[in-house]
Amino acid sequence: MALSRRDQLPPLNPTRVFEATGRLLSVTKAADELCVTPAAVSRQVRALEVFLDVKLFNRIHGRLELTPAGARYLADITPLFAALLAATRSVQSSIGNRALLRIRSPATFAVRWLIPRLAGFHQANPTIEVQLSTSSAPLDLKHEDVDAGVQLGDGSWPETHSQQLIANLLVPVTSPSYQRATQLVRSEQLQQEVLLHTMARPDDWALWFEAVGLDTARAYSGMKYETSLLAYQAAIEGHGVAIAQKSLVAKELADGTLVTPIPFELDCGKHTYYFVWSTRRPQPPALSAFCAWLLNVDW
């Protein structure tokens, strides 16, 4: 018995082309992503519209816009393509019973906190291979080729699960030699010192100044570095005073490479680092194992 049109699956290639075009809202960008010509994209989208008997796009003032039906269809098929991609990755990576887990993290957090602890995960889960990349850009789990990542914020992002990783305590840190040379012991002295900033978190010094009752006008002066990793290294070299997330300089504080000249710690509460993964994708066993391991890792 032949299936009716309503019972048939849509043609896969036109549906895939529509997903890319709807996500990017550009025929040209979809063509680049799929390595085909813009004309081919237009033909495939039109073929899907004919199959569905529904108009999916309007072109308004030279811009491509989804119709209400197109927007609804895109929202419905996006998680299906994500699930298909996850299943494909799982099959491709399960060579010799090894599973691949792709994680992205800010560089400072990766170097200072995550990498020193990963050996413990590998020992407990020898069949899971972790592929770690770094970037300071916000996570985009819908479109990035990662399974999960580390993000700084309040733990509340749409369509994600999040798991807190560290307490975010901000403290001033410098080298012992810099403290001796400046005789830095009081918070008000910081208004005359060289402050070391990270461009990824430009307001940290201002938040700390405000918490101790100092004028924040001077809180943005000093030296600025792309990442906290660089700012911490500058502090170690004696170039000034950095504002640090205490958990990320714990080793240096313990061995005396860095000191806290003013012991006040600003607790940023829920604003800290979280491990984040999508609610719209199936959670593979490797990701479940990693989340369970994180629950038992010491901060």
Side-chain angles (χ1 to χ4, degrees):
M1 179 178 177
L3 293 175
S4 69
R5 172 63 66 91
R6 291 178 63 87
D7 295 326
Q8 293 177 10
L9 289 172
L12 182 57
N13 202 47
T15 306
R16 176 170 175 256
V17 171
F18 163 70
E19 186 276 335
T21 309
R23 169 166 42 83
L24 300 169
L25 287 177
S26 168
V27 169
T28 301
K29 290 180 180 178
D32 289 342
E33 180 177 295
L34 299 170
C35 299
V36 297
T37 65
V41 168
S42 298
R43 285 196 300 271
Q44 294 291 338
V45 169
R46 180 56 187 154
L48 183 62
E49 289 179 325
V50 170
F51 176 85
L52 297 173
D53 196 21
V54 170
K55 188 174 179 61
L56 299 171
F57 292 101
N58 288 319
R59 188 171 288 279
I60 301 175
H61 303 302
R63 293 186 298 107
L64 203 61
E65 292 187 359
L66 288 159
T67 65
R72 187 169 60 251
Y73 193 54
L74 180 66
D76 287 340
I77 68 170
T78 295
L80 303 180
F81 274 97
L84 180 60
L85 179 61
T88 303
R89 286 177 180 164
S90 177
V91 169
Q92 290 175 332
S93 63
S94 297
I95 300 172
N97 291 323
R98 294 185 64 83
L100 179 62
L101 181 63
R102 297 174 176 88
I103 296 172
R104 178 161 77 73
S105 168
T108 301
F109 190 87
V111 171
R112 294 269 173 172
W113 193 91
L114 186 55
I115 291 175
R117 291 164 172 79
L118 272 180
F121 177 77
H122 289 305
Q123 289 174 0
N125 301 272
T127 63
I128 298 175
E129 178 183 334
V130 177
Q131 186 178 92
L132 178 62
S133 60
T134 63
S135 172
S136 59
L139 278 169
D140 183 359
L141 294 174
K142 285 185 179 179
H143 305 132
E144 284 190 71
D145 190 24
V146 294
D147 301 297
V150 177
Q151 180 117 313
L152 179 66
D154 63 3
S156 178
W157 295 281
E159 299 178 345
T160 62
H161 296 295
S162 62
Q163 188 169 319
Q164 186 175 344
L165 295 174
I166 64 171
N168 191 6
L169 304 175
L170 297 182
V171 294
V173 297
T174 190
S175 68
S177 61
Y178 187 95
Q179 185 183 22
R180 286 194 299 270
T182 60
Q183 297 184 351
L184 178 60
V185 292
R186 300 188 311 277
S187 59
E188 56 267 26
Q189 291 177 265
L190 285 168
Q191 297 175 103
Q192 310 306 321
E193 301 301 333
V194 178
L195 303 181
L196 308 177
H197 304 260
T198 170
M199 289 184 285
R201 301 196 322 276
D203 299 319
D204 281 3
W205 266 121
L207 292 171
W208 194 92
F209 268 40
E210 185 177 26
V212 297
L214 295 177
D215 184 356
T216 59
R218 281 273 298 141
Y220 291 95
S221 66
M223 304 292 290
K224 297 176 175 61
Y225 299 87
E226 183 179 6
T227 67
S228 299
L229 198 62
L230 298 178
Y232 298 163
Q233 187 60 37
I236 291 170
E237 299 292 336
H239 296 171
V241 188
I243 186 71
Q245 292 166 298
K246 188 177 180 181
S247 296
L248 303 187
V249 292
K251 177 179 178 294
E252 288 74 16
L253 292 176
D255 64 22
T257 308
L258 289 173
V259 296
T260 53
I262 295 98
F264 176 75
E265 300 176 354
L266 174 59
D267 188 343
C268 295
K270 293 177 66 176
H271 187 82
T272 186
Y273 286 104
Y274 293 83
F275 187 66
V276 181
W277 65 100
S278 176
T279 60
R280 301 193 67 176
R281 299 182 192 169
Q283 186 170 334
L287 179 55
S288 299
F290 198 83
C291 292
W293 171 75
L294 284 173
L295 289 174
N296 298 308
V297 173
D298 292 334
W299 286 2

